[in-house]
Amino acid sequence: MPFLLGPLGALRPLPSPTLGTTPEATAARLGGVHRSLTGRVTVDRLAVRRTWTLAWPYLDDGTRAYLDALYLGVVAGPLWLVDPMRVNRLPPHVAATGSASRTTTGFTATAGTVAWAAGVPTVAEVPLAGGLSWTVPAAGGALTADAVVPVLGGETVTASATLAGTVPAALSVSSFTATGAALRVDQGTAGPPGAAGTRAALTVSLPATAAWIRVGLSAAASSAGGALTVSGWQAEAGPLVTGWQAGGGAAVVVVDSLSTTYPIPTAAEVALTLLEV
């Protein structure tokens, strides 16, 4: 899959860079490094933001004109970049279910209470610090990851998460147009995940007018309610569940620089630098 760049509903695939012009994605930690009198190191991690550098030795006129328009600001933003090398399109704080900050930021429950908890069942590939504990009332409810996940119209996507508990629950995918109009909600089959936890997944073929999605979890009504825990969220392109990744496959970006050289007449060599917002 190529890199995708543009506003929601108008993501445009970029040409594959030719050999010798490898794309670069550099992550920078924002925050200081401090040492105590004993030499002990303390690292402040306020945020992690990335810089992408994409270059093409011979870029077609149509794509070059599009990049010019983005750089000049004549295309309404915000601009999104989908990085095909990072499978999970959820932002890292949602993908890791609050493990970095130990908070519930980025998640909303329609009923019951949500708290961050250590020791919940996590994905086998990565020993996450914990996840969310959701106390579900007897009437049931929904837990939603608030992040916007950009998609292509008609694309097939798969959502997955690790669930544990006795309340019947199922993953859900809600799709929206570029203007935010709701299209539909696809929901998996509800079942009790069990105390040991299970990796639940839902594959959906999106409507042709879908521009972005949200993933969530629905809990069915039960006689006495109960508790559910969830960790390791993922939203990826394709019909299969792959190993969990830490997220960041989609990001809001700005065009920092766009350089053009002309190695031969009628041909342009272009380098594009994008900064994560």
Side-chain angles (χ1 to χ4, degrees), residues 155-160 171 173 184 186-188 200-206 236-241:
E155 188 175 18
T156 298
V157 298
T158 298
S160 58
L171 288 173
V173 173
R184 72 177 193 225
D186 293 277
Q187 188 167 307
L202 172 62
T203 298
V204 175
S205 293
L206 298 173
E236 58 188 304
L240 302 176
V241 181

Side-chain angles (χ1 to χ4, degrees), residues 22-41:
T22 307
E24 296 181 4
T26 303
R29 174 186 50 79
L30 304 180
V33 178
H34 313 283
R35 288 187 179 271
S36 68
L37 293 177
T38 63
R40 181 182 180 88
V41 175

